Amino acid sequence: MSMGEEDDYYNSSDTYYDLPGEDYSVLVEDEPSALDSEAVRRLLVALYSLVCVLGLLGNGLVVVLAGCRLKRTVSTVWFLHLAAADLLLNAFLPLYAAYAALGFHWPFGTALCKLSSFLLTCNMYTSVLLLSAISGDRCVSVLLPVWVQNHRSPRRTHAACTAIWALAALLSVPSLVFRDTRQLSGGQVACFNNFSLLSPGPAVAAASSGWHVGVTVTRFLCGFLVPGLVIAGCYFIIICRLQRHRLSRNRKPFRIMAALVVAFFLCWCPYHILFLLELRPHTWPPAVFRLGLPLATALAITNSCLNPILYVFMGQDFKKFKVTLFSRLASALSEDTGHGSFPSNRSFTKVSSVNDKSPVSEKETAML
């Protein structure tokens, strides 16, 4: 494809359905119905607005509690970094809502196009790598409780989280490199992945395809499949160990982490599936990408507001444990791994004693 042909390709009358957080550059070759377009835009605007409000409030509260008010433990450090990753993405959601409200027109410039995509990708990598690290931490705590007591500390956990942030940022660099804007006919500006940016010349089509495949496969493996196998392996070992030695009869400590992991993979699974399907867009009906890509991206972004909700509803028995939301959240965040396999009693910090009359004095086991 020559440079002139490339310009004609990107400036055709076809319609882009590519949200700022997506890493697709699908060009839909048929115009959607007005009903589909309007319904999708309204749904996305409402969803992004709701996720933004819930995410800023929930993750902001978690950051304040875990970072400033609760006793610093290994678990609060993990939760602090998870919330910080989500909070950073939540702060940019008004751009997503505006993009959908404007009919997928991006008026914010190339820099914000790149940055918004980078933040979504970095949020994905940071979240799944942190969940993998937490799972490994729980597994080691069950297998080697004595070693954990001597070597596990909040300071070292902070160092591990910093390394995870650095790795996630490195894996997200393609979003900064390939994300681009281009003006279409009718005055609309598209924010999309332009894999030809590093491939000028006559071989642009083949080179672009190579970059596209490389970025897609890397993201699927590093951001979904491999961490999923690591998490599954860790919890399989934990369950086998606990059942074999009858170390814990209480299933409540499993609820928070199980809920976080399940929520992450349910929210991101459609995103990655469509990402892989997009490698061969002409094999599938255009409606798959026209409607599927925006909705899958919105579902992935929804994960950024779910964790604080899960802390509240999964940390304790919601029907029997009648305390304030603030105290419930503090309770979930203050659970620590300890030895992972032995019962332990811990008292609440000043923040978690908002409702001292509630029966919350004992934690049977560490959160796994």
Side-chain angles (χ1 to χ4, degrees), residues 166-178:
L167 178 58
L170 181 63
L171 291 170
S172 304
V173 165
S175 296
L176 296 176
V177 174
F178 294 113

Side-chain angles (χ1 to χ4, degrees), residues 181-362:
T181 56
R182 191 177 296 269
Q183 186 167 354
L184 306 177
S185 58
Q188 278 196 320
V189 176
C191 176
F192 69 108
N193 264 6
N194 185 358
F195 290 101
S196 65
L197 285 174
L198 299 184
S199 311
V204 60
S208 298
S209 177
W211 283 113
H212 190 184
V213 172
V215 170
T216 300
V217 172
T218 300
R219 182 161 301 172
F220 175 71
L221 292 177
C222 298
F224 193 78
L225 182 60
V226 173
L229 294 175
V230 170
I231 292 171
C234 288
Y235 279 95
F236 177 77
I237 294 173
I238 291 172
I239 292 172
C240 290
R241 177 79 172 185
L242 295 183
Q243 288 182 344
R244 181 183 305 170
H245 297 280
R246 297 180 180 179
L247 296 175
S248 176
R249 296 181 180 179
N250 186 8
R251 296 182 180 180
K252 291 181 181 180
F254 291 95
R255 290 182 179 178
I256 294 178
M257 269 306 299
L260 297 184
V261 170
V262 170
F264 178 88
F265 284 99
L266 287 180
C267 288
W268 283 95
C269 185
Y271 181 92
H272 286 285
I273 290 175
L274 285 171
F275 207 138
L276 294 173
L277 295 181
E278 196 264 339
L279 291 175
R280 302 185 66 183
H282 300 293
T283 307
W284 310 95
V288 171
F289 303 108
R290 185 182 70 225
L291 300 177
L293 296 181
L295 295 176
T297 302
L299 179 61
I301 290 175
T302 300
N303 182 249
S304 67
C305 76
L306 291 181
N307 289 355
I309 298 173
L310 295 176
Y311 297 150
V312 171
F313 287 93
M314 302 300 295
Q316 301 291 337
D317 188 335
F318 185 69
K319 294 181 180 180
K320 298 179 181 179
F321 189 42
K322 298 180 179 180
V323 297
T324 66
L325 182 147
F326 189 69
S327 180
R328 186 185 298 276
L329 182 58
S331 169
L333 295 178
S334 63
E335 292 186 9
D336 196 14
T337 306
H339 296 293
S341 56
F342 298 99
S344 63
N345 296 330
R346 55 180 291 123
S347 59
F348 279 89
T349 60
K350 181 178 180 180
V351 172
S352 59
S353 62
V354 173
N355 195 340
D356 288 329
K357 296 181 180 180
S358 301
V360 296
S361 60
E362 289 193 350

